[in-house]
Amino acid sequence: QVRLVESGGGLVQPGGSLRLSCAASGTIFRINTMGWYRQAPGKQRELVARITSGGVTNYADSVKGRFTISRDNVKNALSLQMNSLKPEDTAVYYCNANVYSEPGYARDYWGQGTQVTVSS
């Protein structure tokens, strides 16, 4: 099995910054795409940003230019640097990874989520 553990959430004022981290552990042969999703109260979970094993990234339009996703393939770690935070960024943020635990078989895993609150 694979476990994803997020950290780094919290309360920040509008315009501030936070850095989220996600560490993957367990039976990992290879990790494909990793990503960050978020879910605000009363809304569906949405993609924030994702990154392939080769470093290709894509972002939701709402966070382009403010958030930066990165990963460390050696440490099986994922990060999200969030700058110029807005109240509408308030949500629970989830780490996602598509993982091969053995050659030829991959599945998605999710972390437990970390709360980000942007408020004055």
Side-chain angles (χ1 to χ4, degrees):
Q1 288 297 315
V2 174
R3 186 179 181 207
L4 302 179
V5 178
E6 301 106 333
S7 60
L11 173 63
V12 64
Q13 292 187 341
S17 298
L18 279 176
R19 185 176 182 87
L20 304 183
S21 297
C22 174
S25 62
T27 305
I28 299 172
F29 176 70
R30 181 166 61 90
I31 301 179
N32 295 322
T33 298
M34 302 183 79
W36 291 97
Y37 291 73
R38 67 186 181 187
Q39 187 166 20
K43 295 187 177 181
Q44 289 190 331
R45 190 173 297 188
E46 63 176 2
L47 173 69
V48 176
R50 59 188 171 198
I51 182 169
T52 69
S53 57
V56 178
T57 60
N58 71 289
Y59 296 89
D61 287 343
S62 59
V63 307
K64 281 181 182 177
R66 301 188 297 122
F67 291 11
T68 303
I69 191 171
S70 60
R71 65 186 283 175
D72 184 327
N73 290 332
V74 174
K75 296 181 178 179
N76 291 328
L78 180 71
S79 296
L80 184 70
Q81 178 65 41
M82 305 186 293
N83 298 327
S84 302
L85 283 160
K86 305 176 180 180
E88 51 263 43
D89 294 317
T90 296
V92 178
Y93 284 69
Y94 297 90
C95 174
N96 169 269
N98 185 258
V99 181
Y100 281 96
S101 293
E102 59 185 76
Y105 176 70
R107 57 156 285 188
D108 276 356
Y109 291 89
W110 293 89
Q112 81 286 354
T114 185
Q115 177 71 46
V116 171
T117 303
V118 185
S119 175
S120 55

